Amino acid sequence: MTDIHSLDHARALDAADPLPTLRSEFHIPQHDGGDQAYFVGNSLGLQPRGVRAQVEDVLDKWSMEAVEGHFRGHSQWMSYHRLMREPLARIVGAQPEEVVAMNSLTANLHFMMVSFYRPTAGRPAILVEAGAFPTDRYAVESQIAFHGFDPATDLIELAPDQPGGVFSMASIERAIAEHGHRLALVLWPGVQYRTGQSFDIGEITRLSHAQGAMCGVDLAHAVGNTELALHDSGVDFAVWCHYKYLNSGPGAVAGCFVHERHARSDVPRFAGWWGHDAATRFQMGPHFQPTPGAEGWQLSNPPILGLAPLRASLDLFDRVGMKALRKKSLRLTGYLESLISQRLDDTLQVLTPAEPERRGCQLSIRVRGGREQGRSLFEYLAANGVLGDWREPDVIRISPAPLYNTHEDILRFANGVDAWRQAR
Ligand SMILES: *Cc1c(COP(=O)(O)O)cnc(C)c1O
């Protein structure tokens, strides 16, 4: 029988993998003279080597062409954001007009709610998952209050019904049915950041719409991780960031999706000149005429230097495609899960659902024995060049990113846990 814990086996899996790694396209942080085993792509993705050239391109253009850089050449700044939209649309399963790279995630969430959270006295409520990422909760709560409603009654937070903080689809269905007549909006994650659980966006959208509510999704942990089909799901809007699995750098310009059915609607919005119809924008007229589609929600002329890294990252995604990438992700995370279940079960407990269709690449792993044990293991791993991230009180998140992580990286995690256990 093959020993899945041997280095030879891990290396053989890497060598035989149907999708060769793009690891050499990334800068890998170093530790003790070798590569770090970096599992924190769910927080800040690694830097693609192509980023520097894209940023330098913009700097060169600015230095040589100055204001004329707006209007010259293929990567002219007037339409620079357009270079992103087709590759982005492929990643999220959308039509090009449905996506735009702009602002930051939380800003986009607010702007989307301005248009798609239109509470009335009879229907004021928003449904979210209990334990949502704080910024999402702050945004939703402040929108409810902004409209003069009361978050105490109109922010409905559904508690997980399964062990480890996981949701059954039945519990989501029940909550939407129970509160349906009062719901203006359902806001749900594509992949929950704490547990790594992924959700059926099409089904949640269908249930929301059946009750007369709008549906939006936060894809911070889903984009570039799971296969998405936003257009077909029918979801009204989606927001995400580009610094996690999209590898576009700290605080990178974020992404936004508005479904085609709203492309030409006259829903209220907070407008800015870059959302104005590009054909007439520079007539500088007083009346706002939105560009059809997601671009019509843009406000300002985009930060070109901020967008430049995204171009380099999207090139890498286009080289492999989400379908092949997701398949590789399933192999890597499946290997991580096998190593844990075969050898480390007495030390670690995986909280993320076991069914591959209910998770992305991340496993949220509880360290048995409580916080002190957990911190000790986390620090031991970090000191030995294996970096995950820590969630209070006792969870380590390990997210093998299929663009650059390998089976060998994953074996280093398992060996690290084993060595820590032996040393105690
Ligand atoms: C990472 C993350 C954010 C971050 O929001 P920013 O506006 O980019 O700072 C928000 N929501 C979720 C669910 C996240 O995972």
Side-chain angles (χ1 to χ4, degrees), residues 42-43 103-109 129 132-137 189-194 218-222 239-244 251-252 254 397:
N42 60 347
S43 183
N103 308 322
S104 62
L105 186 159
T106 307
N108 287 341
L109 181 54
E129 92 275 24
F133 197 95
T135 201
D136 299 65
R137 196 183 181 287
V191 171
Q192 216 281 345
Y193 82 102
R194 200 188 289 272
D218 181 331
L219 303 179
H221 282 260
V239 295
W240 62 89
C241 53
H242 286 135
Y243 47 79
K244 293 172 179 167
R397 299 186 306 175

Side-chain angles (χ1 to χ4, degrees), residues 128-424:
V128 299
E129 92 275 24
F133 197 95
T135 201
D136 299 65
R137 196 183 181 287
Y138 304 154
V140 159
E141 188 177 32
S142 62
Q143 285 273 339
I144 292 170
F146 172 79
H147 284 281
F149 294 98
D150 182 1
T153 51
D154 300 331
L155 174 53
I156 301 170
E157 295 175 278
L158 179 64
D161 63 326
Q162 294 188 338
V166 166
F167 293 87
S168 68
M169 196 61 218
S171 74
I172 299 171
E173 187 165 356
R174 270 196 306 275
I176 294 175
E178 180 191 340
H179 300 287
H181 63 289
R182 296 189 68 245
L183 288 179
L185 174 68
V186 173
L187 179 69
W188 210 257
V191 171
Q192 216 281 345
Y193 82 102
R194 200 188 289 272
T195 63
Q197 179 178 14
S198 79
F199 295 95
D200 182 341
I201 294 170
E203 183 61 8
I204 292 171
T205 302
R206 193 185 64 74
L207 294 167
S208 308
H209 286 175
Q211 295 292 334
M214 290 279 181
C215 185
V217 284
D218 181 331
L219 303 179
H221 282 260
V223 67
N225 178 14
T226 59
E227 269 191 273
L228 296 163
L230 291 186
H231 178 79
D232 291 346
S233 77
V235 75
D236 294 288
F237 69 85
V239 295
W240 62 89
C241 53
H242 286 135
Y243 47 79
K244 293 172 179 167
Y245 297 109
L246 261 287
N247 307 315
S248 299
V253 175
C256 187
F257 164 95
V258 179
H259 196 275
E260 185 193 24
R261 86 174 72 85
H262 303 299
R264 287 169 180 77
S265 89
D266 52 6
V267 288
R269 73 182 83 192
F270 285 175
W273 75 314
W274 225 255
H276 186 96
D277 188 3
T280 56
R281 184 186 298 142
F282 284 87
Q283 293 173 8
M284 305 305 241
H287 299 296
F288 179 70
Q289 181 66 46
T291 305
E295 289 183 4
W297 273 264
Q298 293 176 107
L299 299 179
S300 302
N301 75 105
I304 303 297
L305 279 167
L307 280 172
L310 183 57
R311 285 188 73 185
S313 167
L314 292 173
D315 282 350
L316 296 178
F317 278 88
D318 264 345
R319 271 169 60 180
V320 295
M322 275 314 299
K323 200 179 233 8
L325 200 62
R326 169 66 173 158
K327 284 193 181 142
K328 178 160 192 155
S329 172
L330 291 172
R331 292 190 288 276
L332 288 168
T333 297
Y335 179 61
L336 172 59
E337 187 178 46
S338 306
L339 292 178
I340 293 171
S341 67
Q342 289 197 12
R343 192 169 52 156
L344 304 171
D345 208 33
D346 62 345
T347 309
L348 304 178
Q349 176 197 6
V350 176
L351 304 179
T352 309
E355 306 91 321
E357 67 280 6
R358 291 176 75 206
R359 68 186 185 202
C361 71
Q362 168 186 322
L363 293 187
S364 300
I365 302 166
R366 172 177 287 150
V367 183
R368 297 188 198 273
R371 185 179 189 280
E372 214 176 299
Q373 296 284 315
R375 280 306 302 184
S376 162
L377 171 58
F378 179 74
E379 280 157 24
Y380 179 89
L381 290 171
N384 286 281
V386 177
L387 197 65
D389 85 351
W390 175 256
R391 290 288 136 178
E392 295 290 350
D394 54 5
V395 172
I396 298 175
R397 299 186 306 175
I398 297 291
S399 304
L403 281 175
Y404 51 76
N405 283 123
T406 59
H407 293 84
E408 190 176 338
D409 283 340
I410 292 169
L411 183 63
R412 282 177 63 192
F413 165 78
N415 285 342
V417 177
D418 201 29
W420 172 81
R421 193 174 55 173
Q422 308 274 336
R424 296 182 74 79

